[in-house]
Each structure stands twice: as C-alpha cells, then as structure tokens.
C-alpha cells in the first residue's frame, strides 16, 4: 500500500489502463467488502493494484469525470478506512486522504469535495488537528436538495459535532447533532455513498461524542438505547461495541460488561480490536483491573493475546 500510494503521489502509478466499467465494478467490490468486514475478500491485497490501475486510467484522459468520482469514493470509502483498521501509521493514512482530496479538487463538484472532507477528518482528529478539521468543514458546502446530498450534509454535521467534542467545546456539540438528526428523521436509514447515514448512525455518533467528552454514564445510556445491528456496515457495528466498551470500562461495576462489549466487536471485525490503538488501549487498561482467573478475566487475556499485548 505504501509503495502504491507513493507511486501515485509522484505521478507514476504504474498500473494498467482499464475501462471505466471494469474499474467501477472493482471499486464497488472492494468498498462493499470493507463495509462488510469480509475476511474472505482480502481488501488490503486488492487495493494496491486497484489504486494503480484507477490512477493510471485517470492519467490516460478518458472518462475522467467518472474516474475521478471513483477515486474519491475509493479513497474515502475503503482506502483510509482499511488503513485505520489495519493499524497503519498516520503518515500513510494521510497520503490516502491527500490522494482523495486531490481527486476531489480535480473533479471540483460539491459532492466530491464534501466526500473528501468527510473522509479526511478522522485522520486530522487522531493527529489533534482540530483547528484544521474545523477550517475544512467551514470551507465545505453541499446542497440538501436530494436524499443523497442530504445524507452527505448530515455526515458533515456529525463530523462537526465530533470535532467540537474532540476540542472539548461541549457547547458546540449538540447543534450539529440536532441538524443531523433532523436530516435522518426525514430520510430514514440510508446508505448514500456507502456512508450508512440514518437514525442509527446519528445515535452512534452521539455515543462517540459523549465518550470523547468523558461523559461515560451518558454514553452508556445512549448506547443502551441503540440497535447497532440496524447499521448497514458491520465495521460501524463493531465500532459501536468498541465505544460502548470504552464507556463501560470507566463505570464502576461495569468492567465485565466492557469486556463482553469488546468481545462482540472482535467477533464482528477482529482488526477493530486487535489493531486499532484505541481498542488496544482499552483492553490493556482492563487487564490491570480485572481478576485474572475469573471467566471474564480469562476471556480478556485471550483477547489481549490475539492483539499481541503482554499478558
């Protein structure tokens, strides 16, 4: 992946010129497999050649508009997300973000630019760049004149709430959440651009914001009112259980429940627990506070071993 992304960034992707129909099918297959956490479909193995072929085909100058849309969609919908789940270093994830951003700027439509902004915010937050994330959001405007564009606008509103929570500006968290909730109520459970936007997703982002603000009792209460299985993406279902487990791990008398939540996340998407730094930190903290010989303690040690943590 590093070699593929570096080659594209140097303008020498080294792939094959492939028809837009074939590339569309390959992109959709990879994004679909990523959102399903499909362990049989090797997303990471498929991405380098697909990235090379897609960017080589863009350089050939045919069907450029649709190919640029596919590049934005691929890097937002699979490349950056897969690198996060795989535990890739931040600089590599930033390379993928920048490729998606460049494709969006070349395409220069509100949808492409909005998708690229949304896809890059998680990397900015991990790096603590909340001012940059807010500036990107302020510079991004998408219409709300269709169900699809309203879902993108809703995801950007959710992102704004999480940026505020990460920057400990609690007074600015609720308004964008309410806007996203209004859009979700009008649309129902949607999946435009494979974002999974809808009432369930809004609830999951409310949970994430509460966890980010350190309001763990409220986070647990939000989580207990959600039905994560309604979310169309198994990766997001796994992330719900990680966030719920994180909140439970901070509550007195709920450590066993926290372990069970993390185990449910691992069953859905093993890499979400075994490689994600946040989930690994929670497992490590619980190890120091859970009785080793209890049933839950033994389960936790097995989970830690699969994550390569010292036990």
């Amino acid at each position: 992946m590093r070699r593929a992304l570096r080659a594209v960034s140097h303008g020498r992707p080294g792939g094959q010129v492939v028809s837009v129909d074939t590339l569309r099918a390959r992109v959709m297959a990879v994004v679909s497999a990523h959102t399903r956490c499909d362990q049989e479909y090797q997303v990471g193995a498929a991405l380098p050649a697909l990235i090379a072929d897609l960017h080589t085909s863009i350089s050939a100058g045919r069907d450029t508009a649709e190919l640029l849309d596919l590049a934005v969609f691929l890097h937002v919908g699979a490349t950056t997300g897969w690198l996060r789940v795989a535990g890739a270093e931040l600089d590599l994830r930033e390379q993928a973000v920048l490729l998606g951003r460049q494709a969006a700027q070349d395409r220069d439509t509100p949808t492409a630019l909005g998708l690229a902004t949304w896809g890059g915010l998680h990397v900015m937050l991990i790096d603590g760049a909340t001012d940059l994330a807010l500036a990107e959001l302020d510079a991004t405007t998408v219409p709300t004149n269709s169900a699809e564009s309203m879902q993108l606008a809703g995801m950007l509103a959710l992102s704004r709430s999480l940026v505020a929570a990460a920057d400990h500006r609690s007074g600015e968290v609720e308004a964008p959440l309410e806007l996203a909730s209004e859009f979700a109520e009008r649309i129902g459970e949607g999946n435009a651009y494979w974002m999974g936007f809808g009432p369930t997703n809004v609830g999951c982002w409310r949970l994430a914001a509460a966890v980010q603000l350190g309001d763990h009792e409220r986070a647990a209460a939000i989580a207990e009112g959600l039905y994560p299985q309604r979310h169309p993406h198994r990766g997001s279902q796994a992330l719900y259980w990680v966030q719920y487990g994180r909140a439970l791990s901070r509550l007195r008398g709920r450590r066993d429940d926290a372990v069970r939540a993390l185990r449910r996340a691992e069953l859905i998407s093993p890499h979400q627990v075994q490689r994600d730094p946040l989930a690994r930190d929670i497992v490590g903290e619980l190890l120091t506070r859970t009785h080793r010989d209890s049933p839950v303690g033994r389960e936790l040690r097995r989970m830690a071993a699969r994550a390569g943590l010292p036990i």
Side-chain angles (χ1 to χ4, degrees):
M1 280 293 292
R2 184 178 293 279
R3 287 194 295 271
L5 294 175
R6 182 187 293 121
V8 173
S9 69
H10 282 268
R12 301 178 184 277
Q16 303 294 319
V17 176
V18 181
S19 74
V20 66
D21 290 339
T22 298
L23 285 169
R24 187 189 310 111
R26 288 169 64 186
V27 168
M28 294 303 172
V30 167
V31 173
S32 175
H34 174 63
T35 59
R36 293 194 313 268
C37 304
D38 190 340
Q39 300 304 313
E40 294 181 2
Y41 191 102
Q42 299 297 318
V43 176
L47 275 170
L50 175 55
I51 290 169
D53 289 350
L54 178 54
H55 284 275
T56 299
S57 300
I58 291 171
S59 299
R62 296 193 297 274
D63 301 308
T64 304
E66 185 168 359
L67 290 173
L68 286 171
D69 281 336
L70 285 174
V72 175
F73 182 56
L74 176 67
H75 295 315
V76 167
T79 311
T80 56
W82 182 85
L83 287 170
R84 176 183 64 81
V85 173
E89 295 177 359
L90 200 61
D91 73 300
L92 188 56
R93 292 157 62 184
E94 178 67 13
Q95 273 191 281
V97 168
L98 291 176
L99 287 184
R101 188 170 186 263
Q102 184 61 59
Q105 289 174 337
D106 291 343
R107 183 69 173 101
D108 196 24
T109 64
T111 295
L113 293 167
L115 285 169
T117 296
W118 171 65
L121 288 173
H122 186 78
V123 174
M124 295 178 197
L125 292 184
I126 291 293
D127 201 30
T130 53
D131 288 346
L132 178 59
L134 184 60
E136 288 286 297
L137 285 167
D138 287 342
T140 303
T141 302
V142 297
T144 56
N145 55 358
S146 69
E148 291 77 13
S149 61
M150 195 178 295
Q151 290 174 63
L152 177 53
M155 288 302 299
L156 291 169
L158 291 176
S159 299
R160 185 177 291 275
S161 74
L162 194 59
V163 170
D167 205 28
H168 304 289
R169 291 182 281 106
S170 57
E172 299 176 30
V173 171
E174 192 60 29
L177 277 172
E178 285 303 312
L179 177 61
S181 182
E182 177 187 333
F183 289 155
E185 288 174 7
R186 291 168 62 182
I187 294 165
E189 299 291 356
N191 198 23
Y193 312 112
W194 294 53
M195 296 182 299
F197 180 80
T200 300
N201 200 38
V202 172
C204 290
W205 282 66
R206 283 188 184 277
L207 164 61
V211 169
Q212 192 71 52
L213 289 170
D215 192 347
H216 299 114
E217 288 189 5
R218 181 167 179 268
I222 292 170
E224 287 156 9
L226 295 175
Y227 298 91
Q229 65 273 17
R230 292 179 179 172
H231 200 291
H233 300 171
R234 285 176 59 79
S236 295
Q237 295 173 24
L239 187 57
Y240 158 88
W241 288 107
V242 170
Q243 295 284 7
Y244 186 23
R246 183 181 178 189
L248 291 171
S249 72
R250 301 294 195 275
L251 299 180
R252 184 183 297 275
R254 302 296 303 273
R255 285 187 298 230
D256 288 0
D257 292 332
V259 175
R260 295 185 186 100
L262 291 170
R263 177 59 180 149
R264 292 195 69 168
E266 188 185 33
L267 288 170
I268 296 170
S269 176
H271 287 173
Q272 290 271 36
V273 175
Q274 296 167 9
R275 297 192 180 184
D276 184 80
L278 173 61
R280 287 165 56 88
D281 285 348
I282 301 168
V283 172
E285 290 176 15
L286 287 168
L287 272 174
T288 66
R289 296 186 281 130
T290 303
H291 194 281
R292 290 177 57 88
D293 295 325
S294 68
V296 169
R298 290 193 292 272
E299 182 66 74
L300 182 62
R301 292 206 310 279
R302 289 192 290 268
M303 200 182 310
R306 289 190 291 270
L309 296 171
I311 57 175

